[in-house]
Amino acid sequence: IYLLDTAAGTYTEQIDTQEWDGAEYYYSDSVTFFDSDTSSLKQGARVKVWFNHTPNGGENPGGASVEILSPRRTLVASSGKYLYNAESGTVVISNLYMGFSESEAGRRNLVIKVSDDMQSVWFDNSEMKRIYSTARDGEYIPTGRATLLHAMGQEPAE
């Protein structure tokens, strides 16, 4: 697993990780998103995170997938390897393809904060305040507690 530092243009190999013992799937269907068509914040984006599985249910040890959907389009759908640190309560998913401004997208690391009981997670907002659509259309979700996702036994039916 490589951790990317896009600001410095470097990467480092990271191999020490702890075993993930949280849920395999986290979900919310009421995340706030910026609707570029109406230039306003709205509720209703669906955000999904899978650990050790692919979105289609296949086994993927050490892997994680993220999907962010507004009511009209897919903003992000990407997979990478993850590093879990129980002491800091964080997971870093490396090499996800996502937007990082209104006009730019690329491979980035996503830091996820984990609750003490491991029943909820959210996208950390210390370095990245927004996750933009890979379509470069200006649509985004804010990070932080606004992206609170809850553990699910399995993916809910659509």
Side-chain angles (χ1 to χ4, degrees), residues 45-115:
R46 290 181 293 156
V47 178
K48 306 173 185 182
V49 176
W50 296 263
F51 289 100
N52 299 315
H53 286 83
T54 62
N56 63 4
E59 296 285 323
N60 186 18
S65 298
V66 175
E67 188 174 79
I68 303 171
L69 307 155
S70 76
R72 289 190 321 274
R73 65 180 60 97
T74 300
L75 277 64
V76 173
S78 190
S79 299
K81 295 294 185 181
Y82 71 84
L83 300 170
Y84 171 56
N85 184 313
E87 289 77 36
S88 65
T90 59
V91 175
V92 177
I93 305 174
S94 67
N95 209 25
L96 290 178
Y97 186 72
M98 59 186 159
F100 46 88
S101 74
E102 288 183 14
S103 60
E104 295 180 280
R107 299 271 174 201
R108 307 266 320 242
N109 295 329
L110 177 62
V111 179
I112 297 177
K113 300 298 280 181
V114 182
S115 66

Side-chain angles (χ1 to χ4, degrees), residues 7-77:
T10 62
Y11 65 93
T12 56
E13 186 171 12
Q14 181 74 32
I15 56 172
D16 57 329
T17 186
Q18 294 165 307
E19 186 173 337
W20 175 253
D21 55 356
E24 294 176 350
Y25 179 72
Y26 292 83
Y27 175 81
S28 178
D29 61 2
S30 59
V31 172
T32 300
F33 73 100
F34 180 78
D35 184 333
S36 57
D37 290 343
T38 63
S39 296
S40 62
L41 289 171
K42 296 183 175 181
Q43 291 293 117
R46 290 181 293 156
V47 178
K48 306 173 185 182
V49 176
W50 296 263
F51 289 100
N52 299 315
H53 286 83
T54 62
N56 63 4
E59 296 285 323
N60 186 18
S65 298
V66 175
E67 188 174 79
I68 303 171
L69 307 155
S70 76
R72 289 190 321 274
R73 65 180 60 97
T74 300
L75 277 64
V76 173

